[in-house]
Amino acid sequence: MPGFLRDFFNRNGFGMGIAILGLVLFWTIGLIILPQLSMLDFSFRPNLPPPEIGGPKDVYTLENYKYLIYGPEGGSQSYNAVDLRVFFRTLIAAVCVTIFNLIICYPIAYYLGQSKGNHIRIFAIMLIIPYWINEILRAFALRIIFGETGVLNTLFVGLGIWDTPFDFIRNDIALYAGLGYAYILLMIFPMYNVIESLDGNQIEAARDLGAPWWRIHWRVVIPYAKPGISSGCTMVFMLSAGALAAPQILGGPSSLWFTQLIYQQFNDNNDWPQGAAYAIVLLVTCILFVLAMMRLFKVNMGDIGK
């Protein structure tokens, strides 16, 4: 038996160790790997009626992936402009949401991590309690707030800031705010967990040496918090790119999300192979983008797993 397994069973006992390993393997293999492999297999299959599945026409093909790039055969354009535009817009929007969350959440995480007292626990509970409500209900609540007759427009029109209601929905402000709010805890707490362990004497020493606040954060806090920052950014980006409920509820007529195209292929068009191909493209692209950003900012997988 390998040494790490021997240590694992010595710490947890044989029965509990087997139970933990079984649950981890079931979660990893049964709920993640096998469904993704099934999706990958679907993506290379033609869309056939049920009687023809498994027949001579049911052979592997790249047509589902070609459709994303070139569109239907005989189309008026040489490439699939609509779907490709939605795909890249989704990725760019996910990056913007991630940057927005990082800017908003870093001061909160720093305050939570470096402050002492019971008021910090109360503040953390106030952050957590809204997330006891279902994500869809929170999205509808944000739609009420940002609607033409919602709280914000009623307030600003009443104060005379503008004469007519502003369309937050059509201008995608509600969507980006909803996505940022949906994953704010996934950005705050990884950074908080790291910053909490930062020795305050390092900050005091930098301050005593005359370093301004921005340099203290740039040279001391942020490098130390890099594992939490990388972990939070990875989760927020992946979940934002794969979001469905918020774009469906808060998105305007021109803010189609790539996951909505996937949903349409699966449920409206009943074209599972095409939907699977779109899902695989989104998954692989997001993974490659995250790996590229990790390499650019010199972050390794161990930092994210801390």
Side-chain angles (χ1 to χ4, degrees), residues 227-263:
I229 293 173
S230 57
S231 178
C233 288
T234 299
M235 289 189 289
V236 171
F237 171 77
M238 297 293 285
L239 291 174
S240 297
L244 179 62
Q248 288 273 64
I249 298 170
L250 297 172
S254 61
S255 61
L256 192 64
W257 218 250
F258 196 69
T259 49
Q260 293 174 280
L261 295 182
I262 297 173
Y263 178 88

Side-chain angles (χ1 to χ4, degrees), residues 58-292:
D58 191 6
V59 294
Y60 285 119
T61 177
L62 293 174
E63 291 301 320
N64 298 315
Y65 293 94
K66 291 180 179 178
Y67 183 90
L68 173 61
I69 301 175
Y70 301 109
E73 293 184 5
S76 58
Q77 294 181 322
S78 58
Y79 61 95
N80 193 348
V82 175
D83 290 1
L84 288 175
R85 188 181 301 115
V86 172
F87 175 70
F88 288 111
R89 186 174 60 204
T90 299
L91 295 179
I92 294 172
V95 172
C96 293
V97 170
T98 303
I99 296 173
F100 170 76
N101 265 27
L102 177 60
I103 294 172
I104 295 297
C105 296
Y106 174 78
I108 299 175
Y110 177 78
Y111 176 74
L112 288 173
Q114 288 296 300
S115 300
K116 308 297 180 183
N118 291 329
H119 69 284
I120 298 301
R121 299 176 184 176
I122 297 174
F123 186 55
I125 291 174
M126 291 173 62
L127 288 172
I128 295 172
I129 285 178
Y131 290 85
W132 292 357
I133 302 173
N134 184 272
E135 178 184 357
I136 296 177
L137 296 179
R138 284 188 274 115
F140 275 112
L142 288 173
R143 188 175 181 89
I144 293 173
I145 292 173
F146 287 103
E148 290 191 10
T149 58
V151 176
L152 289 180
N153 274 315
T154 301
L155 176 63
F156 291 137
V157 172
L159 293 175
I161 297 177
W162 48 63
D163 298 328
T164 58
F166 182 79
D167 196 343
F168 291 101
I169 304 296
R170 187 176 294 273
N171 289 280
D172 294 336
I173 296 176
L175 174 58
Y176 293 150
L179 287 172
Y181 176 65
Y183 308 120
I184 192 171
L185 293 185
L186 297 177
M187 183 69 78
I188 288 177
F189 284 110
M191 289 192 291
Y192 161 73
N193 288 333
V194 179
I195 295 175
E196 186 184 27
S197 63
L198 175 62
D199 188 357
N201 292 326
Q202 297 184 41
I203 298 176
E204 292 297 329
R207 188 185 305 161
D208 292 340
L209 291 173
W213 272 108
W214 69 268
R215 186 174 292 275
I216 292 174
H217 285 275
W218 184 255
R219 299 297 297 271
V220 178
V221 182
I222 292 178
Y224 187 84
K226 188 167 67 171
I229 293 173
S230 57
S231 178
C233 288
T234 299
M235 289 189 289
V236 171
F237 171 77
M238 297 293 285
L239 291 174
S240 297
L244 179 62
Q248 288 273 64
I249 298 170
L250 297 172
S254 61
S255 61
L256 192 64
W257 218 250
F258 196 69
T259 49
Q260 293 174 280
L261 295 182
I262 297 173
Y263 178 88
Q264 290 173 5
Q265 294 293 347
F266 273 105
N267 294 277
D268 298 340
N269 301 337
N270 199 28
D271 192 346
W272 283 45
Q274 190 65 64
Y278 276 29
I280 292 296
V281 168
L282 180 62
L283 174 64
V284 172
T285 303
C286 288
I287 291 175
L288 292 177
F289 180 81
V290 169
L291 293 176

